């Protein structure tokens, strides 16, 4: 399987600085910014800086340093938002992938949703 990355996707443009974003955290390997259409009081997207379409793509082809950097960034975002289990009320993390995952933007992103209950895992 070959993953085809479209470098004109909106998150690639954000990474290149062509489109503004509401940054929560930037590290060597990840960028976190607020979702433009928040579904919960706290709704942040965390993306790796590398060109990965989806989580499976990233899991198979990213380097160990990229995977650690991205994962640690998610932990830091949870701390920044105050949703960590050790200090807050928790969160829902979602990574939509491909057609059946109903992924709109073809650059890997995880949604961190908090500030109120995320409700049941799947509604329909
Ligand atoms: P997904 O369906 O998992 O691909 O989610 C894509 C998410 O990106 C949606 O929640 C959108 O609201 C969000 N989004 C799209 N464009 C932007 C943008 N320019 N800045 C922040 N979030 C965005």
């Amino acid at each position: 399987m070959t993953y085809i990355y479209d470098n004109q996707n909106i998150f690639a443009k954000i990474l290149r600085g062509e489109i503004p974003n509401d940054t929560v955290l930037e590290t060597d390997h990840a960028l976190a910014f607020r979702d433009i259409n928040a579904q919960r009081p706290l709704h942040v997207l965390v993306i790796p800086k590398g060109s990965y379409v989806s989580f499976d793509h990233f899991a198979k082809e990213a380097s160990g340093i990229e995977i650690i950097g991205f994962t640690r960034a998610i932990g830091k975002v949870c701390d920044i938002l105050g949703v960590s289990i050790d200090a807050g009320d928790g969160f829902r993390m979602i990574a939509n992938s491909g057609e059946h995952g109903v992924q709109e933007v073809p650059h890997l992103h995880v949604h961190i949703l908090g500030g109120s209950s995320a409700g049941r895992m799947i509604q329909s």
Side-chain angles (χ1 to χ4, degrees):
M1 166 89 192
T2 300
Y3 293 93
I4 297 168
Y5 181 81
D6 171 13
N7 66 12
Q8 291 307 307
N9 77 76
I10 197 155
F11 294 169
K13 292 179 179 178
I14 284 175
L15 283 171
R16 291 195 295 266
E18 295 167 11
I19 292 177
N21 71 92
D22 187 356
T23 299
V24 170
L25 174 73
E26 181 165 13
T27 71
D28 287 348
H29 296 289
L31 178 69
F33 51 95
R34 293 188 190 277
D35 196 294
I36 205 166
N37 183 24
Q39 300 298 308
R40 286 294 182 276
L42 302 169
H43 187 171
V44 168
L45 304 172
V46 190
I47 68 175
K49 287 191 171 175
S51 300
Y52 299 101
V53 177
S54 56
F55 202 92
D56 52 310
H57 185 198
F58 183 73
K60 286 186 258 186
E61 297 189 6
S63 69
I65 286 182
E66 288 177 295
I67 291 170
I68 291 168
F70 181 59
T71 306
R72 294 283 194 228
I74 291 169
K76 283 183 187 161
V77 167
C78 290
D79 284 345
I80 291 167
L81 298 178
V83 299
S84 295
I85 304 278
D86 62 346
D89 293 329
F91 59 95
R92 169 79 44 83
M93 188 169 93
I94 299 171
N96 297 320
S97 302
E99 184 182 345
H100 283 187
V102 194
Q103 179 181 9
E104 289 174 26
V105 181
H107 180 112
L108 169 60
H109 50 283
V110 296
H111 299 252
I112 306 289
L113 297 145
S116 68
S117 173
R120 291 176 63 86
M121 189 168 71
I122 293 176
Q123 301 288 347
S124 61

